[in-house]
Amino acid sequence: MSDLSQRVLSIQSHVVSGYVGNKSATFPLQLLGFEVDAINSVQFSNHTGYPAGVRGQVLDDTQLQELVDGLNANNINHYSHIINGYIGSKSFLTKLGEVVSHLKSVNPSLIYVCDPVMGDTGPGLYVPQELLPVYQDTILPLADVCLPNQFEAELLTGKKIESEEDALAVMDIIHSKGVSTVILSSTELGSDSHLVGLASHVKDGKKTVVKVLIPKFAAAFVGTGDLFTALSTAWLARTGGDLKLALEKTIGTMQAVLARTMQHAHAAAAAAGLDKPTPAMMELKLIQSKQEIENPPGGSQAEILHSK
């Protein structure tokens, strides 16, 4: 059994080329001191935004159990954290619940970080509707940290977010399922220039709510949610659960990565004589951002709205 204090099992998608899912999460987590064991829920050639589509394989629930059986048999199943990202089938998500329950029995202090990837404002739902009750009834009660976007938070709770008060109420509903930390990774409550991020933590009857303004980029990126979840996981652990500081560190790195990605993409498009960057040019520049992952730039100031 590993005696390492920070060891993550990350169950997400994988792409051969580019940065989404485990490819987006693993490098930052490793740089920030975590051993990362990755289970790839899918293995695709590239992300789904490419014009010629994807090729590859999808892991099923039986294959997930086989991998966990191997970890159990070799006594290498002791984790400090589990992260899940995109999961496309009800049977796999149900099996994930069983896996999390089992691994929490192995290590009762294990922290389960759930990114309930279901859709977004605009595109709508991009997983089968039948996954929603599994997230609501099976996954949320197991989760210690949940990081939905606004669309996903509204789905999980059945409540619309049209104001900051609505957002706080939605986070309270998710808390009521047993989730101690809720991070709304983005909401549409901001302005043309900013998104609003909100986070809430409840422990021993004490509640802390934090708000942060996130500068908008005039571009659509892929893999940013997976990166956000990985960075949030790492910084919550490294700061001892300091929600304000963890958000500031996470967003500091996010902004640096996105700015570098935009700069590179526009330069590459101009050099190729294109009006706009291709999906390949817009892949996150993670390797080039090693320094900003290890030492997040300052400038992202979060505000404590409530602490009592």
Side-chain angles (χ1 to χ4, degrees), residues 3 45 94 108 111 120-121 128 152 219 221 237 254 267:
D3 60 354
S45 53
T94 302
I111 295 168
D120 207 345
T121 307
E152 291 156 349
F221 300 95
M254 291 290 301

mmCIF file of all heavy atoms in Angstrom, residues 3 45 94 108 111 120-121 128 152 219 221 237 254 267:
data_model
loop_
_atom_site.group_PDB
_atom_site.id
_atom_site.type_symbol
_atom_site.label_atom_id
_atom_site.label_comp_id
_atom_site.label_asym_id
_atom_site.label_seq_id
_atom_site.Cartn_x
_atom_site.Cartn_y
_atom_site.Cartn_z
ATOM 1 N N ASP A 3 2.241 4.808 0.988
ATOM 2 C CA ASP A 3 2.176 5.609 2.211
ATOM 3 C C ASP A 3 2.170 7.102 1.883
ATOM 4 O O ASP A 3 2.398 7.939 2.752
ATOM 5 C CB ASP A 3 3.345 5.268 3.132
ATOM 6 C CG ASP A 3 4.699 5.536 2.473
ATOM 7 O OD1 ASP A 3 4.727 5.872 1.269
ATOM 8 O OD2 ASP A 3 5.720 5.393 3.165
ATOM 9 N N SER A 45 -9.183 9.842 -29.797
ATOM 10 C CA SER A 45 -8.051 10.425 -30.521
ATOM 11 C C SER A 45 -7.872 11.896 -30.180
ATOM 12 O O SER A 45 -6.744 12.411 -30.127
ATOM 13 C CB SER A 45 -8.270 10.271 -32.033
ATOM 14 O OG SER A 45 -9.550 10.793 -32.399
ATOM 15 N N THR A 94 -23.282 4.661 -12.060
ATOM 16 C CA THR A 94 -23.744 3.849 -10.932
ATOM 17 C C THR A 94 -22.588 3.043 -10.340
ATOM 18 O O THR A 94 -22.422 2.958 -9.119
ATOM 19 C CB THR A 94 -24.877 2.906 -11.391
ATOM 20 O OG1 THR A 94 -25.948 3.688 -11.926
ATOM 21 C CG2 THR A 94 -25.396 2.056 -10.239
ATOM 22 N N PRO A 108 -11.434 5.968 5.311
ATOM 23 C CA PRO A 108 -12.599 6.781 5.677
ATOM 24 C C PRO A 108 -12.379 8.293 5.550
ATOM 25 O O PRO A 108 -13.347 9.054 5.480
ATOM 26 C CB PRO A 108 -12.855 6.384 7.134
ATOM 27 C CG PRO A 108 -12.259 5.022 7.262
ATOM 28 C CD PRO A 108 -11.058 5.017 6.374
ATOM 29 N N ILE A 111 -11.334 12.048 0.334
ATOM 30 C CA ILE A 111 -12.143 13.180 -0.135
ATOM 31 C C ILE A 111 -12.566 12.918 -1.581
ATOM 32 O O ILE A 111 -11.716 12.744 -2.461
ATOM 33 C CB ILE A 111 -11.343 14.492 -0.038
ATOM 34 C CG1 ILE A 111 -11.048 14.818 1.433
ATOM 35 C CG2 ILE A 111 -12.101 15.642 -0.694
ATOM 36 C CD1 ILE A 111 -10.034 15.915 1.628
ATOM 37 N N ASP A 120 -24.058 22.575 -20.299
ATOM 38 C CA ASP A 120 -23.696 23.969 -20.056
ATOM 39 C C ASP A 120 -24.755 24.874 -20.670
ATOM 40 O O ASP A 120 -25.527 24.456 -21.548
ATOM 41 C CB ASP A 120 -22.325 24.281 -20.665
ATOM 42 C CG ASP A 120 -21.605 25.405 -19.946
ATOM 43 O OD1 ASP A 120 -22.257 26.139 -19.160
ATOM 44 O OD2 ASP A 120 -20.383 25.558 -20.156
ATOM 45 N N THR A 121 -24.775 26.112 -20.201
ATOM 46 C CA THR A 121 -25.671 27.108 -20.781
ATOM 47 C C THR A 121 -25.311 27.279 -22.250
ATOM 48 O O THR A 121 -24.149 27.454 -22.581
ATOM 49 C CB THR A 121 -25.509 28.466 -20.046
ATOM 50 O OG1 THR A 121 -25.667 28.231 -18.647
ATOM 51 C CG2 THR A 121 -26.540 29.466 -20.520
ATOM 52 N N PRO A 128 -26.919 11.618 -21.374
ATOM 53 C CA PRO A 128 -28.307 11.156 -21.289
ATOM 54 C C PRO A 128 -29.005 11.672 -20.030
ATOM 55 O O PRO A 128 -28.398 11.731 -18.954
ATOM 56 C CB PRO A 128 -28.169 9.629 -21.262
ATOM 57 C CG PRO A 128 -26.845 9.345 -21.903
ATOM 58 C CD PRO A 128 -25.967 10.500 -21.542
ATOM 59 N N GLU A 152 -25.475 22.971 -14.523
ATOM 60 C CA GLU A 152 -25.491 21.699 -13.794
ATOM 61 C C GLU A 152 -26.074 21.868 -12.388
ATOM 62 O O GLU A 152 -26.817 20.995 -11.915
ATOM 63 C CB GLU A 152 -24.067 21.137 -13.732
ATOM 64 C CG GLU A 152 -23.581 20.678 -15.097
ATOM 65 C CD GLU A 152 -22.073 20.653 -15.255
ATOM 66 O OE1 GLU A 152 -21.343 21.190 -14.378
ATOM 67 O OE2 GLU A 152 -21.600 20.120 -16.271
ATOM 68 N N ALA A 219 -13.444 33.774 -26.251
ATOM 69 C CA ALA A 219 -13.097 32.527 -26.939
ATOM 70 C C ALA A 219 -13.733 31.367 -26.199
ATOM 71 O O ALA A 219 -14.088 31.487 -25.020
ATOM 72 C CB ALA A 219 -11.584 32.342 -26.982
ATOM 73 N N PHE A 221 -12.943 27.666 -24.924
ATOM 74 C CA PHE A 221 -11.861 26.720 -24.645
ATOM 75 C C PHE A 221 -12.451 25.354 -24.317
ATOM 76 O O PHE A 221 -13.604 25.249 -23.908
ATOM 77 C CB PHE A 221 -11.022 27.192 -23.463
ATOM 78 C CG PHE A 221 -10.366 28.533 -23.659
ATOM 79 C CD1 PHE A 221 -10.975 29.689 -23.199
ATOM 80 C CD2 PHE A 221 -9.141 28.634 -24.292
ATOM 81 C CE1 PHE A 221 -10.373 30.924 -23.361
ATOM 82 C CE2 PHE A 221 -8.529 29.859 -24.464
ATOM 83 C CZ PHE A 221 -9.143 31.006 -24.004
ATOM 84 N N ALA A 237 -6.500 21.241 -0.739
ATOM 85 C CA ALA A 237 -5.656 20.387 0.109
ATOM 86 C C ALA A 237 -4.453 21.155 0.636
ATOM 87 O O ALA A 237 -4.117 21.076 1.826
ATOM 88 C CB ALA A 237 -5.196 19.163 -0.684
ATOM 89 N N MET A 254 -5.553 29.635 -13.781
ATOM 90 C CA MET A 254 -6.471 29.526 -14.930
ATOM 91 C C MET A 254 -6.288 30.706 -15.887
ATOM 92 O O MET A 254 -6.198 30.526 -17.113
ATOM 93 C CB MET A 254 -7.922 29.490 -14.451
ATOM 94 C CG MET A 254 -8.343 28.255 -13.702
ATOM 95 S SD MET A 254 -8.458 26.759 -14.691
ATOM 96 C CE MET A 254 -9.646 27.204 -15.934
ATOM 97 N N ALA A 267 -1.460 33.784 -32.705
ATOM 98 C CA ALA A 267 -0.196 33.848 -33.447
ATOM 99 C C ALA A 267 -0.110 32.714 -34.470
ATOM 100 O O ALA A 267 0.308 32.929 -35.617
ATOM 101 C CB ALA A 267 0.978 33.778 -32.472
#
